[in-house]
Amino acid sequence: MRDLKIPDQRHPEKAHRKDNAQPKKPSWIRVKAPTSQGYRDTHKIMREHKLVTVCEEAGCPNAGECWSQGHATMMIMGEICTRGCTFCNVATGKPQNLDAFEPGRVADAVQKLGLKHVVITSVDRDDLDDGGAEHFAQTIRAVRHRSPDTTIEVLTPDFLKCGPDALETVVAAKPDVFNHNLETVPGLYHEVRPGARYFHSLRLLQRVKEIDPSMFTKSGIMVGLGEERAQVLQVMDDMRSADIDFLTIGQYLQPTPKHHAVDRFVTPDEFKSYEQAAYGKNFLMVSATPLTRSSYHAGDDFAQLRAARNKKLGLA
């Protein structure tokens, strides 16, 4: 029986990799340990509903702040991923069967937390014919039924090994935001995201707009992996060519010595420069800070995103 708390069992594909040094974090990247009652209350609801969160599985540095406010990103379809990305702390291996009752439990937790905006993500499920698309759709519908005023953001896998109907299934369920992260620049994919394809992920987001032009699209990358500034700016241009509305950029943090090394810590001033460049390329919304993550402040960001579109359309 695997113990996912043991690194070698959590990441068997990384067990024989050489250790990479983990540099000391600069002052702007450090966060306090969670201690609030709100954090404990959110943790209790997650455990009572037997739910997995990417906040815990990926070791997000913002978990304390978000959970203190009753915000959590639901990770559906289990806690074991079929991919072995070198940056990611989610466990890898052969996943368990889908839980047919999970969509209902997610919807119940969303209602109990009183969420105005929820982010639903998942592990990669290359073992499933549809990559888990129908499970995403069922979860979206369950949340809509229990909390009709809650806006829903999905952060999906790339559905690389599925037919085009997988993406269509998720879009047809009408999430408010469709997010899929490119994660890094194309030149680093073979090191950082070897099981994925940069232009497939880009095309996935472009197809969302083709299927439903009214749906907001969102994508994010990490910096500090070894990329050059010119490469980041090219990714921005690629995203805008795919009509992506919302860009997130955050600092890569190395989960364990077996994961991809941190090349450097990008300064807050550099993040501000990236933000200015992205707005200059006409993204509706940009979040670029060292601690930015896909679902960090997602509810507030969605409100700003919607307002930005209305202003652009002259509806503000």
Side-chain angles (χ1 to χ4, degrees):
M1 189 73 179
R2 289 176 68 184
D3 184 346
L4 299 185
K5 294 181 180 179
I6 300 174
D8 283 1
Q9 294 188 33
R10 186 177 183 83
H11 301 290
E13 82 290 351
K14 296 180 177 67
H16 301 294
R17 288 170 56 96
K18 68 178 182 67
D19 285 358
N20 289 312
Q22 292 180 280
K24 184 179 179 181
K25 296 173 185 175
S27 59
W28 64 78
I29 208 80
R30 295 173 195 165
V31 295
K32 295 180 180 179
T35 58
S36 72
Q37 184 60 46
Y39 177 89
R40 291 190 289 271
D41 291 344
T42 301
H43 185 274
K44 181 180 179 182
I45 290 174
M46 294 300 108
R47 297 293 81 82
E48 285 176 348
H49 290 76
K50 299 179 181 178
L51 296 175
V52 179
T53 69
V54 75
C55 321
E56 297 169 286
E57 297 303 315
C60 179
N62 303 316
E65 178 187 344
C66 294
W67 282 35
S68 294
Q69 299 170 9
H71 301 159
T73 297
M74 313 295 180
M75 192 168 81
I76 60 176
M77 298 192 282
E79 57 188 336
I80 299 176
C81 184
T82 54
R83 303 276 176 94
C85 298
T86 62
F87 68 87
C88 185
N89 200 36
V90 174
T92 54
K94 183 179 179 180
Q96 297 177 328
N97 293 332
L98 292 181
D99 180 353
F101 298 102
E102 183 176 53
R105 294 202 309 276
V106 170
D108 192 41
V110 169
Q111 186 180 48
K112 286 185 177 178
L113 288 167
L115 298 184
K116 295 180 180 179
H117 185 84
V118 62
V119 181
I120 301 165
T121 189
S122 79
V123 291
D124 276 288
R125 291 298 302 260
D126 292 324
D127 58 313
L128 302 173
D129 289 341
D130 72 345
E134 180 56 34
H135 201 76
F136 259 106
Q138 289 175 5
T139 305
I140 293 167
R141 290 192 290 265
V143 172
R144 285 265 187 257
H145 178 72
R146 296 290 293 273
S147 304
D149 295 328
T150 298
T151 50
I152 300 172
E153 179 174 327
V154 293
L155 172 55
T156 76
D158 58 14
F159 303 119
L160 180 63
K161 300 181 180 181
C162 309
D165 55 332
L167 178 64
E168 293 163 7
T169 295
V170 179
V171 175
K174 294 287 186 181
D176 296 281
V177 181
F178 190 106
N179 186 0
H180 172 65
N181 285 331
L182 295 185
E183 306 292 8
T184 187
V185 300
L188 290 177
Y189 258 54
H190 67 291
E191 297 177 36
V192 175
R193 205 176 173 221
R197 301 293 179 268
Y198 176 80
F199 287 104
H200 171 86
S201 287
L202 196 65
R203 175 63 180 145
L204 184 87
L205 289 155
Q206 186 178 42
R207 284 191 60 227
V208 173
K209 284 289 193 182
E210 292 172 356
I211 298 167
D212 186 347
S214 68
M215 190 169 291
F216 289 108
T217 51
K218 178 177 175 180
S219 190
I221 62 169
M222 300 168 287
V223 290
L225 286 158
E227 72 292 326
E228 299 291 338
R229 178 178 173 83
Q231 293 175 303
V232 174
L233 297 179
Q234 183 60 59
V235 170
M236 291 183 191
D237 288 337
D238 292 345
M239 287 186 181
R240 289 303 301 132
S241 294
D243 203 17
I244 293 167
D245 299 305
F246 186 172
L247 167 65
T248 61
I249 307 177
Q251 171 70 50
Y252 166 63
L253 298 176
Q254 183 182 343
T256 75
K258 298 297 184 183
H259 284 76
H260 193 287
V262 174
D263 178 71
R264 70 188 186 96
F265 290 106
V266 178
T267 67
D269 285 345
E270 289 178 273
F271 276 102
K272 186 65 178 178
S273 177
Y274 280 137
E275 177 188 329
Q276 292 170 344
Y279 275 123
K281 295 177 186 293
N282 292 320
F283 283 93
L284 284 179
M285 182 74 191
V286 182
S287 178
T289 71
L291 289 174
T292 289
R293 296 297 182 267
S294 291
S295 52
Y296 188 44
H297 294 163
D300 293 338
D301 286 347
F302 175 72
Q304 293 182 50
L305 181 64
R306 187 161 48 186
R309 174 186 279 177
N310 287 343
K311 182 177 180 181
K312 184 176 180 180
L313 296 175
L315 301 175

